Amino acid sequence: MVLKANHDLYEAELSKKEIEYLVHFTPTINLLSIFEQKKVLSRALLEKNDIEDNLLDFIEFLDEVRYDDKNYINLSISHPNYFLFRRFKERTQNKPYINWCILKIDPKYVCQKETLFSVTNAASRVAKQYGVTGDIGKFKQLFEDRLPNIRNNIRGNLKTKYPTCVQAEVLVKDQIKLKDIIEVCFENDADLANAKAALSNFDTSNFRVNTTLFENSRL
């Protein structure tokens, strides 16, 4: 991993804000590809390598709600973007073979040289007005007390580990290594058991049930 020149400033912010992980939600049917490739890949790399995958998190709503550069993987800080997550689950609720998992990812990717930050959904008009960049000022802006023109833009008593806007994004270039996935989280025991069975040939010791991550609130 190539780090930003001033990565120590980002590391200090991660420590001060007690940020333990980034998160990325994906259908459980994508896990096999992730484990086989030993990494989460951007859509651009998946297409380049002609990897067969059910990339609902890229294909569905790509132009409407996702950052339109296919070289980046969209992550949230400490809790999923539950507005977007709800839309994905509603869109797939009539597809019984689609279940969801949430990946907890090492926050060191904040310090990676090409990582970008957006104060809200990076595909939105407001995000483009604020700018999507990778500098320390932009990272700190994610946690400002007030963000004009953004829904739910006041921090109030929000814990330091959460950005002000639940739709804030960390955009990681190209790939995230499997070894940097801290946990793979599921909403219930049944989803956990099914995933473990489907990936019985792989190490699933970091698979967990974590209902809190699936709730529409940040506690």
Side-chain angles (χ1 to χ4, degrees):
M1 175 184 290
V2 179
L3 299 177
K4 298 177 186 291
N6 57 344
H7 61 88
D8 57 317
L9 299 180
Y10 296 83
E11 291 163 357
E13 288 296 316
L14 290 170
S15 177
K16 182 173 71 173
K17 292 177 169 54
E18 299 182 303
I19 296 171
E20 298 177 343
Y21 49 83
L22 308 175
V23 296
H24 175 71
F25 62 81
T26 189
T28 56
I29 53 178
N30 289 350
L31 289 175
L32 179 59
S33 174
I34 291 170
F35 274 72
E36 287 179 339
Q37 299 299 319
K38 296 184 178 180
K39 59 191 69 172
V40 180
L41 295 174
S42 68
R43 188 183 178 197
L45 285 181
L46 286 162
E47 292 177 349
K48 179 180 179 181
N49 296 322
D50 195 27
I51 295 172
E52 185 70 24
D53 206 302
N54 295 283
L55 293 173
L56 294 180
D57 51 333
F58 289 104
I59 295 171
E60 303 285 349
F61 320 115
L62 182 63
D63 294 329
E64 181 183 356
V65 297
R66 303 308 272 170
Y67 190 55
D68 54 6
D69 188 332
K70 295 189 289 185
N71 293 291
Y72 287 88
I73 302 165
N74 302 63
L75 308 180
S76 300
I77 299 174
S78 301
H79 196 279
N81 173 352
Y82 48 76
F83 291 108
L84 183 61
F85 195 16
R86 183 175 64 239
R87 292 176 68 185
F88 275 78
K89 290 197 289 186
E90 288 173 352
R91 184 68 175 265
T92 59
Q93 63 184 351
N94 295 322
K95 299 177 181 179
Y97 58 91
I98 298 292
N99 294 309
W100 296 88
C101 63
I102 296 171
L103 311 180
K104 285 186 179 181
I105 294 165
D106 193 317
K108 69 182 181 181
Y109 282 91
V110 164
C111 307
Q112 186 166 269
K113 182 179 180 180
E114 295 182 291
T115 296
L116 304 177
F117 311 107
S118 176
V119 298
T120 187
N121 188 307
S124 69
R125 183 180 306 163
V126 174
K128 291 176 173 60
Q129 292 172 354
Y130 272 89
V132 179
T133 63
D135 57 274
I136 188 65
K138 182 60 62 181
F139 182 68
K140 289 182 177 181
Q141 190 178 36
L142 270 60
F143 302 89
E144 287 188 354
D145 289 337
R146 183 183 295 269
L147 293 167
N149 302 319
I150 292 177
R151 181 194 300 178
N152 301 321
N153 65 347
I154 300 175
R155 288 197 66 80
N157 296 321
L158 199 62
K159 291 181 180 178
T160 59
K161 66 180 180 178
Y162 299 123
T164 302
C165 178
V166 69
Q167 300 202 68
E169 294 191 300
V170 175
L171 303 158
V172 175
K173 185 79 175 293
D174 292 335
Q175 64 181 33
I176 294 166
K177 294 181 179 178
L178 180 62
K179 67 182 183 64
D180 293 326
I181 297 176
I182 300 168
E183 288 182 354
V184 181
C185 300
F186 301 87
E187 189 170 12
N188 52 58
D189 289 328
D191 288 352
L192 171 65
N194 289 337
K196 278 183 167 287
L199 295 166
S200 58
N201 293 329
F202 298 92
D203 179 9
T204 59
S205 59
N206 67 341
F207 283 25
R208 303 279 188 276
V209 171
N210 187 328
T211 55
T212 302
L213 280 181
F214 288 81
E215 294 174 355
N216 292 345
S217 63
R218 296 184 288 175
L219 304 175

